[in-house]
């Protein structure tokens, strides 16, 4: 880390105060208040100025990596295709289901009254859907799953073993287009709609090519970064204090 920072300074890679302030702003946003931000910094034994310097150093490191490593990574389409053909076993998938859900969440510490209230809301939503209301519209307006609500509750495809048992059992029993009753899991009460089912298969190249390219890109990045750091070790100045 320090070798990379030294090299960035030696190359005089430009870093503006605006870049540092923007990164600090991102850190600040992870805290609810300014006071919580300062307390979080103090809890790590740091001052605001030290955090600012650390942030500047991290940007220095990122810039020299971009200049020396990232710019030299080249994954060709032929590389992606060759990897897929040589690793077909990796892309075998079992039965999977494409489903959406509406979640009425409960906390692990929820009282019986709170659970009953959440279940009543789920029951009311299910009644609306059975009465003709659009599942996706209800999900957007009522679901408490932040990861899927805005997509109409869509969870995409998932295989067996990925979801909690009660959710999985209900989803895999439903036929495409069908909607479940109210299903309880440790996360709360769900209404599940199955969109599509898929049998065991080998994922086609078009579906996984992007993932393969990301994987090969990361592998090249790690190799080139390791080689670059070894190169810097021969000329860098690092003092180990024990």
């Amino acid at each position: 880390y320090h070798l990379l920072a030294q090299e960035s300074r030696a190359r005089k890679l430009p870093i503006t105060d605006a870049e540092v302030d923007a990164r600090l702003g991102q850190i600040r946003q992870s805290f609810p208040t300014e006071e919580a931000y300062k307390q979080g910094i103090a809890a790590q034994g740091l001052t605001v100025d030290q955090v600012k310097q650390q942030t500047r150093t991290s940007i220095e490191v990122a810039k020299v990596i971009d200049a020396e490593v990232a710019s030299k990574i080249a994954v060709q389409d032929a590389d992606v295709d060759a990897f897929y053909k040589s690793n077909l076993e990796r892309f075998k998938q079992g039965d999977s289901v494409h489903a959406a859900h509406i979640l009425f969440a409960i906390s692990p510490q929820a009282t019986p009254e709170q659970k009953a209230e959440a279940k009543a809301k789920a029951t009311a939503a299910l009644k609306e859907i059975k009465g003709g209301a659009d599942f996706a519209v209800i999900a957007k307006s009522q679901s408490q799953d932040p990861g899927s609500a805005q997509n109409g509750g869509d969870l995409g495809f998932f295989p067996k073993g990925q979801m909690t048992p009660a959710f999985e059992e209900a989803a895999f029993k439903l036929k495409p287009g069908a909607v479940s009753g109210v299903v309880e899991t440790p996360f709360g009460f769900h209404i599940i709609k199955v969109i599509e089912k898929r049998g065991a298969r080998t994922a086609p190249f078009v579906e996984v090519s992007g993932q393969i390219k990301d994987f090969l890109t990361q592998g090249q990045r790690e190799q080139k970064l390791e080689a670059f750091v070894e190169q810097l070790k021969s000329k860098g100045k690092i003092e180990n204090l024990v």
Side-chain angles (χ1 to χ4, degrees):
Y1 183 83
H2 290 290
L3 281 169
L4 291 166
Q6 283 182 7
E7 181 65 15
S8 184
R9 293 167 199 150
R11 296 186 183 196
K12 294 183 170 56
L13 296 178
I15 296 172
T16 65
D17 290 340
E19 288 177 288
V20 177
D21 290 341
R23 185 72 62 84
L24 286 170
Q26 292 173 353
I27 297 172
R28 165 65 182 82
Q29 287 176 3
S30 65
F31 293 87
T33 64
E34 182 68 22
E35 185 60 29
Y37 171 57
K38 291 178 179 178
Q39 288 177 355
I41 290 173
Q44 298 178 57
L46 300 171
T47 65
V48 172
D49 285 342
Q50 286 173 322
V51 171
K52 189 170 186 177
Q53 183 53 52
Q54 287 184 357
T55 301
R56 180 176 290 274
T57 302
S58 72
I59 295 174
E60 290 172 338
V61 169
K63 286 205 170 188
V64 78
I65 289 175
D66 283 342
E68 184 65 29
V69 177
S71 64
K72 298 180 180 178
I73 294 173
V75 176
Q76 306 298 325
D77 290 344
D79 300 328
V80 178
D81 184 63
F83 184 91
Y84 177 77
K85 290 176 178 176
S86 300
N87 295 274
L88 288 175
E89 285 293 322
R90 291 191 180 203
F91 305 109
K92 287 188 176 180
Q93 301 172 342
D95 293 342
S96 60
V97 62
H98 179 190
H101 81 142
I102 302 168
L103 170 66
F104 295 86
I106 55 174
S107 73
Q109 296 79 32
T111 64
E113 291 78 13
Q114 290 170 325
K115 286 185 177 182
E117 181 181 358
K119 187 174 183 179
K121 289 180 179 178
T123 302
L126 180 60
K127 186 175 180 180
E128 286 186 67
I129 293 167
K130 287 185 174 181
D134 186 276
F135 188 97
V137 172
I138 298 295
K140 287 180 180 180
S141 63
Q142 298 189 42
S143 180
Q144 294 173 308
D145 176 9
S148 70
Q150 291 308 306
N151 294 321
D154 197 336
L155 297 167
F157 276 97
F158 53 87
K160 289 183 178 180
Q162 184 170 310
M163 299 295 186
T164 56
F167 190 100
E168 177 182 296
E169 182 180 0
F172 276 88
K173 280 184 178 179
L174 291 170
K175 294 180 179 180
V179 175
S180 73
V182 175
V183 178
E184 183 178 0
T185 75
F187 299 103
F189 297 95
H190 309 253
I191 304 169
I192 304 167
K193 179 178 181 178
V194 167
I195 300 167
E196 184 182 355
K197 284 188 167 181
R198 197 160 62 190
R201 63 173 194 155
T202 298
F205 177 75
V206 67
E207 284 187 16
V208 296
S209 59
Q211 298 170 32
I212 295 171
K213 188 167 186 177
D214 289 344
F215 175 76
L216 295 178
T217 297
Q218 183 59 29
Q220 279 196 24
R221 178 184 175 86
E222 291 173 1
Q223 291 174 359
K224 291 182 182 297
L225 179 57
E226 183 178 351
F228 182 45
V229 170
E230 288 299 321
Q231 176 188 331
L232 294 179
K233 283 181 180 179
S234 64
K235 65 175 183 178
K237 296 178 180 178
I238 294 292
E239 182 181 0
N240 291 318
L241 302 177
V242 179

